């Protein structure tokens, strides 16, 4: 009879080398995911030392695409890494002293915080908020710090083990018969390299199956992508519809209010149409990982700032006709406000905006998250110079 449960779980594939290699890959994925996630947070809630440029126009598309892609790639990597170590959960005694106890506690924090990030991230990109009885953005942001702290601690504790694991030559290239490698040389099933290749294939499959929501060439093969970037009114997805935002179609009484430091003007749709019209090809890049190219036409924000004699280097508060909701307003920093590509768009692909895309007018600015591209604009407030 087998007494030690480790025998039930034993696989000759498990080794320090395998765990170290999976750990390096997972560490890189989590690192890129954290940096790009922090960037997205800082763009939306800029600390005093942070400023985000308006060019290149698609930089945020790249960073946020990487955030979602590395988060998704971490799912198979984490599964494989947990598989490679989980028999240790049953090692007896569970705690061999204070230091060992603290180390196990830090691993419990690491695993649960990482699982929380991956699960909430996948729920968020699937637009499935029901299982999350908390505000996703805040929870996902603060838990990210927990993950990073626990990863750094884990790395500091395990560095000697990882070093040794990576230094040892692989069984396929050496005749050395250490305890762990000898198992692999006699094992006839999957080899360590075979397992790594399988995990790599799983990462590639997850990436190809989802990245089409932001990489146009992969659109047709991305069967698991939550969004098809070409599906929606005027060939563009919609996150919040006018009905969801409780905005109805405006009539002839619509006025765009532009508030300057010294005067305020009210512009009708005819006034807006009479101003110089400009066209820009700019993507909508949702924080949820989908993005889509579109051609927008309308009036430059800088021209609207000039109508009230505002400072050309001022910030602009953009407010929606939508009366409630977190995303009813956004602030254009000076770099985005004065960029000639930043438009109050009246048209999309040459037609008037669909109501769900923000009719009568919406903000569209280069290199900016979708949540800040305010729809159904009713008021611009030109602030002081920065
Ligand atoms: N007023 C308002 N504008 C908004 C939103 C909103 O909820 N209210 N959602 C934003 C989000 S999250 C995105 S991704 C883009 C999507 O634009 P689209 O629906 O035209 O594709 O609009 C943004 N503008
Ligand atoms: Mo979004």
């Amino acid at each position: 009879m087998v007494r030690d449960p480790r025998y039930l779980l034993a696989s000759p594939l498990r080794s320090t080398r395998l765990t170290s290699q999976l750990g390096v890959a997972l560490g890189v994925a989590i690192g890129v995911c954290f940096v790009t996630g922090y960037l997205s947070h800082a763009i939306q809630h800029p600390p005093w030392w942070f400023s985000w440029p308006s060019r290149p126009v698609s930089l945020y598309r790249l960073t946020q695409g990487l955030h979602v892609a590395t988060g998704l790639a971490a799912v198979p990597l984490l599964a494989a890494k947990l598989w490679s170590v989980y028999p240790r959960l049953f090692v007896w005694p569970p705690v061999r002293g204070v230091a060992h106890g603290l180390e196990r506690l830090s691993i419990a924090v690491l695993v649960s915080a990482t699982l929380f990030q991956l699960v909430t991230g996948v729920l968020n990109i699937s637009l499935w908020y029901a299982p999350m009885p908390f505000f996703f953005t805040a929870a996902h942001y603060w838990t990210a710090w927990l993950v990073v702290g626990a990863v750094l601690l884990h790395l500091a504790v395990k560095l000697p083990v990882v070093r040794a694991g990576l230094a040892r030559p692989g069984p396929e290239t050496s005749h050395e018969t250490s305890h762990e490698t000898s198992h692999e040389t006699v094992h006839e099933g999957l080899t360590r390299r075979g397992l790594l290749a399988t995990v790599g294939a799983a990462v590639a499959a997850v990436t190809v199956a989802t990245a089409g929501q932001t990489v146009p060439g992969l659109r047709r093969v991305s069967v698991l992508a939550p969004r098809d970037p070409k599906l929606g009114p005027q060939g563009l997805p919609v996150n919040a519809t006018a009905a969801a935002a409780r905005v109805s179609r405006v009539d002839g009484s619509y006025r765009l209010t532009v508030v300057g430091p010294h005067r305020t003007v009210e512009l009708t749709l005819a006034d807006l149409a009479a101003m110089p019209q400009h066209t820009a090809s700019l993507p909508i890049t949702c924080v949820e990982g989908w993005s889509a190219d579109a051609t927008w036409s309308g009036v430059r924000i800088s021209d609207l700032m000039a109508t009230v004699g505002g400072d050309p280097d001022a910030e602009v508060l953009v407010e929606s006709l939508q009366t409630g909701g977190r995303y009813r307003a956004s602030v254009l920093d000076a770099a985005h406000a004065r960029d000639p590509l930043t438009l109050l768009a009246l048209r999309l692909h040459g037609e008037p905006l669909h109501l769900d895309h923000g009719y009568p007018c919406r903000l569209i600015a280069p290199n900016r998250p979708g949540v800040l591209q305010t729809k159904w604009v009713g008021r611009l407030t030109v602030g002081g110079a920065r």
Side-chain angles (χ1 to χ4, degrees), residues 277-363:
Q277 304 291 305
H278 298 273
T279 297
S281 284
L282 294 172
I284 279 279
T285 308
C286 183
V287 294
E288 281 150 5
W290 61 268
S291 59
D293 289 301
T295 305
W296 313 88
S297 319
V299 181
R300 279 185 180 149
I301 292 290
S302 56
D303 288 349
L304 290 162
M305 292 163 80
T307 62
V308 290
D311 187 312
D313 291 322
E315 295 186 334
V316 179
L317 171 68
V318 182
E319 285 175 280
S320 177
L321 299 169
Q322 183 185 354
T323 51
R326 271 177 211 281
Y327 308 123
R328 65 165 300 276
S330 70
V331 174
L332 276 170
D333 60 39
H336 284 81
R338 66 173 169 248
D339 193 302
L341 291 180
T342 300
L343 304 179
L344 187 70
L346 300 160
R347 306 177 83 80
L348 167 55
H349 300 314
E351 302 159 15
L353 283 176
H354 187 282
L355 182 56
D356 287 338
H357 286 307
Y359 180 87
C361 57
R362 77 159 318 151
L363 177 68

Side-chain angles (χ1 to χ4, degrees), residues 63-89:
T63 65
Q64 193 62 11
L66 274 176
H67 178 68
V68 173
T70 50
L72 288 169
V75 174
L77 290 172
L78 179 67
K81 187 163 191 255
L82 289 178
W83 173 84
S84 78
V85 293
Y86 88 94
R88 286 162 182 264
L89 270 181

Side-chain angles (χ1 to χ4, degrees), residues 23-173:
V24 168
L26 184 58
V28 169
I30 289 180
V32 174
C33 198
F34 175 76
V35 170
T36 49
Y38 181 77
L39 253 180
S40 183
H41 172 88
I43 296 165
Q44 294 170 65
H45 311 278
W48 61 269
W49 50 267
F50 183 87
S51 71
W52 183 243
S54 61
R55 307 292 176 96
V57 298
S58 291
L59 185 59
Y60 181 74
R61 192 178 199 184
L62 177 72
T63 65
Q64 193 62 11
L66 274 176
H67 178 68
V68 173
T70 50
L72 288 169
V75 174
L77 290 172
L78 179 67
K81 187 163 191 255
L82 289 178
W83 173 84
S84 78
V85 293
Y86 88 94
R88 286 162 182 264
L89 270 181
F90 307 104
V91 168
W92 206 260
V95 174
R96 290 195 308 265
V98 176
H100 183 240
L102 285 176
E103 201 240 306
R104 295 207 86 181
L105 187 68
S106 79
I107 289 182
V109 170
L110 175 60
V111 173
S112 43
T114 307
L115 282 174
F116 180 86
Q117 290 302 79
L118 298 184
V119 170
T120 55
V122 168
L123 289 175
N124 178 257
I125 64 168
S126 321
L127 308 178
W128 191 19
Y129 291 92
M132 294 191 280
F134 43 80
F135 179 38
F136 164 79
T137 310
H140 200 68
Y141 173 74
W142 288 107
T143 311
W145 287 107
L146 214 56
V147 172
V148 161
V151 165
L152 291 178
L153 188 66
H154 187 56
L155 206 63
V157 171
K158 296 289 185 189
L159 203 57
V161 183
V162 174
R163 277 224 175 113
L166 294 180
R168 201 173 301 149
E172 289 97 338
T173 57

